[in-house]
Amino acid sequence: QKEVEQNSGPLSVPEGAIASLNCTYSDRGSQSFFWYRQYSGKSPELIMSIYSNGDKEDGRFTAQLNKASQYVSLLIRDSQPSDSATYLCAVNTGSGAGSYQLTFGKGTKLSVIP
Amino acid sequence: SAVISQKPSRDICQRGTSLTIQCQVDSQVTMMFWYRQQPGQSLTLIATANQGSEATYESGFVIDKFPISRPNLTFSTLTVSNMSPEDSSIYLCSVRTDFGYNYGYTFGSGTRLTVV
């Protein structure tokens, strides 16, 4: 069974600090990786997508991918109280060309303390 | 990115009844995806809806329980049939959205279903 694992948290960081969120996945053939933010009672919102090894930066967010270790992470710099949410890691685990199946981790709850 | 309108936003239903959830997208999309998020849990894919063909259901989900319609490239419905309290969840539709060389999946606002 294809799995995506995340620490459930809660992860508490002080305002202005770097929050580091981690995710591991079991399907070595996975090609696409996504980070979503979900506020309580709201639907998931896409923050980052990453497809190749290395870092990808977008504003205060940096996604890191290491396919050899089957590991993807999200760094949030200068964390703000508004970043407090559950962060979901999602992996395209479908087989074959053009597959779109996403498998989600259970999410890490982040609390940024003012 | 695509904008998805989903309704109803919430409903409280009696066990044994059915509820149909609608998703309208502001652009044509080939595939629409239906997810379930049970309380305190992550998202689980129910089925993939293609226009002009039968939906593809994931393991543990069957057409009799979750019939799906996809009459055109901008609209889909998911029906939760013969509901029981175990069906109380948030149901979300999703479509792939392309951002230049990148892509992601956009979600509707969700339907919070409570079965009593």
Side-chain angles (χ1 to χ4, degrees):
Chain A
Q1 185 172 349
K2 299 170 182 176
E3 296 181 342
V4 177
E5 300 286 343
Q6 294 180 256
N7 290 326
S8 61
L11 173 67
S12 295
V13 300
E15 183 174 355
I18 296 175
S20 177
L21 305 164
N22 304 315
C23 173
T24 59
Y25 58 95
S26 63
D27 183 7
R28 192 169 285 278
S30 301
Q31 296 294 322
S32 307
F33 308 85
F34 307 90
W35 282 100
Y36 284 84
R37 176 175 62 197
Q38 186 174 28
Y39 292 113
S40 180
K42 301 295 185 181
S43 63
E45 172 192 9
L46 181 65
I47 300 175
M48 294 282 287
S49 58
I50 188 167
Y51 316 106
S52 55
N53 284 326
D55 295 359
K56 180 181 178 183
E57 185 175 322
D58 185 0
R60 296 187 296 113
F61 300 98
T62 299
Q64 300 174 317
L65 175 62
N66 184 326
K67 290 185 178 180
S69 300
Q70 296 174 236
Y71 175 91
V72 58
S73 66
L74 179 70
L75 300 178
I76 306 174
R77 290 182 300 280
D78 188 24
S79 295
Q80 301 297 310
S82 58
D83 295 326
S84 298
T86 297
Y87 289 80
L88 301 170
C89 173
V91 178
N92 185 329
T93 54
S95 58
S99 177
Y100 300 99
Q101 180 178 357
L102 283 186
T103 299
F104 283 82
K106 292 186 176 181
T108 299
K109 186 171 184 178
L110 172 67
S111 293
V112 180
I113 311 302
Chain B
S1 63
V3 176
I4 305 173
S5 299
Q6 184 174 343
K7 60 181 181 182
S9 59
R10 59 178 63 228
D11 208 341
I12 300 173
C13 301
Q14 297 292 322
R15 73 171 64 207
T17 63
S18 298
L19 175 72
T20 295
I21 302 167
Q22 301 180 4
C23 265
Q24 178 77 51
V25 188
D26 68 345
S27 58
Q28 295 184 337
V29 294
T30 304
M31 294 182 179
M32 293 181 72
F33 306 92
W34 287 97
Y35 286 85
R36 180 175 74 182
Q37 187 172 29
Q38 294 179 302
Q41 301 297 313
S42 191
L43 284 78
T44 301
L45 181 64
I46 297 172
T48 303
N50 299 315
Q51 194 270 334
S53 64
E54 292 287 333
T56 302
Y57 289 82
E58 298 301 311
S59 176
F61 298 97
V62 294
I63 187 171
D64 290 346
K65 176 67 175 177
F66 298 100
I68 288 172
S69 77
R70 185 80 202 275
N72 57 53
L73 291 174
T74 64
F75 186 80
S76 179
T77 67
L78 170 76
T79 298
V80 185
S81 303
N82 188 25
M83 289 183 285
S84 66
E86 291 71 34
D87 294 319
S88 298
S89 287
I90 299 173
Y91 292 85
L92 297 132
C93 61
S94 174
V95 300
R96 171 173 166 152
T97 303
D98 291 312
F99 310 94
Y101 293 109
N102 297 321
Y103 74 96
Y105 295 84
T106 302
F107 286 86
S109 55
T111 297
R112 184 180 295 270
L113 170 63
T114 302
V115 183
V116 297

